[in-house]
Amino acid sequence: MSKGIALSVTASTLFAVMYYYTSLLTPLSGVEIYGWRMLLTVPCMTVFMLLSGEWRRVLELLRRIPALPKLIGGLILSSALLGVQLWLFMWAPLNGYSLDVSLGYFLLPLAMVLTGRIAYGESLSYLQKIAVFFASLGVLNELYQVGGFSWATLVVVVGYPLYFVLRKYLKTDNLGGLWVDMTLMLPVAYWFVRGGEQGFGVFDQYPALAWLIPLLGLISASALVVYIIASRLLPFSLFGLLSYVEPVLLLGVALLLGESIKPGEWLTYIPIWLAVVVLVFEGFKHLMRQRRP
C-alpha cells in the first residue's frame, strides 16, 4: 500500500509538472503542445500495454466492432470528449485559464457524485449531502459575482462526467478503451503539429525544443503509467482520496504562473474546498472500516 500511495502522489506531481511545463515550450501554441503530447504518448502507452498484457483489452474491443457498427460512432465521440480535456490541459496554462481549470478539477468529484445520482440512481450519503451543500454555496457566489463559471471550468465539470458515462455505456471503461480513445486522436494531433506555425521544422528553428518536446512525451507517458500502476496497488477508496492531490497541485501551478484569486472569489473557493474536505473525510472513514478485521 505504501508503494501505491507513493506512486499515486508521484503521478499527481507529474501531471502538475506537465501543467507547468507548457510554459517552457515557447513559441509553441497550446494546440501544438497537445499534438506533440499525443504523438509521443500513444507509442509509449502501446509499449506498456504490450509488456503488461493489457493489449488483449484492445483486441477484445476491436472484435466487438463488426458485430456492433454503431460502436464506431460512440468511440469517435468518446475520443472527442477526452481530446477536448487533454487539449484544455495543455492550452490553459499558456492562456491565463489555469486557475479556472484547477477549479474545475476541484469541482469534478462533486460533479461525479451528482452524476451517479442522476444517471444511475445512486443515493447520496449524509456527508455527501453536506459536501454538495458547501459546493452549492461556492457555485451561488460565483453566479452572483460574475454570472457563471468560466467556460474552461464548465468543460472540465461537465465534459468528464459525460465521458465516463459514455465509456460505461459503451463498455469501454478499461485501459483498452483509453488506448483506442487516444489513438483516434492521432490524426488530429498530427494535423495540429503539421499545420501549426512552427510545424515539424521547429527543431531547426529552436534547437532547445529538440530535448524539451521529447521530455514532454516522457513526462506524459510516465504520469499515465504510474497512475495506472497505482490504481492496481491501492484500494479503490484510498485511490479516490489521493486523486484530490492533483487539483491542489494544479492550483499551486496556477498561482506560480502569475494568476491570483480575486477577493470576491474566495467565497467561491473556500466552500468548494470545504466540500472536498468533507468528501476526503468520508473516504477516510470508509477506508478505516474496510481495514478493520
Side-chain angles (χ1 to χ4, degrees):
M1 185 177 294
S2 59
K3 182 179 179 181
I5 292 172
L7 289 174
S8 178
V9 173
T10 299
S12 294
T13 303
L14 287 172
F15 282 123
V17 167
M18 185 165 52
Y19 203 50
Y20 176 79
Y21 194 82
T22 56
S23 64
L24 306 178
L25 299 177
T26 306
L28 295 182
S29 65
V31 293
E32 288 176 296
I33 295 172
Y34 160 77
W36 279 112
R37 180 188 176 187
M38 290 300 99
L39 292 177
L40 295 169
T41 300
V42 173
C44 295
M45 185 178 176
T46 303
V47 171
F48 169 75
M49 292 181 66
L50 288 170
L51 295 176
S52 64
E54 289 291 333
W55 187 251
R56 60 187 175 82
R57 300 283 191 179
V58 177
L59 299 178
E60 291 169 0
L61 178 53
L62 294 179
R63 290 192 195 103
R64 290 173 53 201
I65 293 177
L68 194 62
K70 291 183 180 179
L71 181 60
I72 297 175
L75 290 172
I76 292 173
L77 178 58
S78 176
S79 178
L81 287 171
L82 179 61
V84 169
Q85 299 296 338
L86 299 182
W87 162 78
L88 181 61
F89 194 85
M90 297 285 91
W91 180 87
L94 298 178
N95 293 275
Y97 283 89
S98 51
L99 201 56
D100 296 318
V101 170
S102 70
L103 178 60
Y105 277 93
F106 273 114
L107 282 168
L108 184 57
L110 295 154
M112 295 297 290
V113 167
L114 292 177
T115 299
R117 172 65 176 169
I118 296 169
Y120 305 112
E122 298 174 357
S123 60
L124 299 182
S125 68
Y126 176 71
L127 288 175
Q128 286 174 342
K129 290 177 181 178
I130 293 176
V132 170
F133 170 74
F134 279 132
S136 299
L137 295 179
V139 170
L140 289 173
N141 180 69
E142 192 69 9
L143 291 174
Y144 173 75
Q145 293 289 338
V146 296
F149 284 99
S150 158
W151 66 267
T153 301
L154 292 175
V155 165
V156 175
V157 174
V158 177
Y160 263 126
L162 287 177
Y163 172 67
F164 291 128
V165 168
L166 179 60
R167 290 189 71 194
K168 193 175 183 66
Y169 173 76
L170 297 174
K171 296 182 174 61
T172 59
D173 48 343
N174 53 54
L175 199 53
L178 177 61
W179 182 89
V180 171
D181 285 342
M182 296 183 70
T183 300
L184 289 174
M185 297 178 205
L186 290 180
V188 176
Y190 178 84
W191 181 68
F192 279 162
V193 174
R194 182 180 177 83
E197 186 176 341
Q198 314 306 322
F200 284 98
V202 65
F203 304 118
D204 298 328
Q205 303 173 55
Y206 303 93
L209 293 179
W211 65 271
L212 285 173
I213 289 177
L215 186 56
L216 169 69
L218 180 62
I219 295 172
S220 176
S222 299
L224 185 61
V225 169
V226 170
Y227 182 81
I228 292 168
I229 295 174
S231 70
R232 295 174 175 174
L233 294 176
L234 292 171
F236 183 80
S237 55
L238 179 56
F239 181 67
L241 284 179
L242 290 169
S243 68
Y244 294 114
V245 172
E246 184 176 341
V248 173
L249 296 176
L250 295 185
L251 173 63
V253 171
L255 298 177
L256 188 63
L257 290 174
E259 296 188 41
S260 59
I261 300 175
K262 300 178 180 64
E265 293 178 334
W266 283 106
L267 290 178
T268 297
Y269 279 88
I270 291 176
I272 289 172
W273 291 341
L274 287 173
V276 170
V277 169
V278 171
L279 289 181
V280 169
F281 176 69
E282 182 190 48
F284 182 75
K285 283 181 60 179
H286 179 66
L287 180 63
M288 290 298 101
R289 284 197 299 268
Q290 284 185 326
R291 294 188 65 182
R292 285 175 188 164

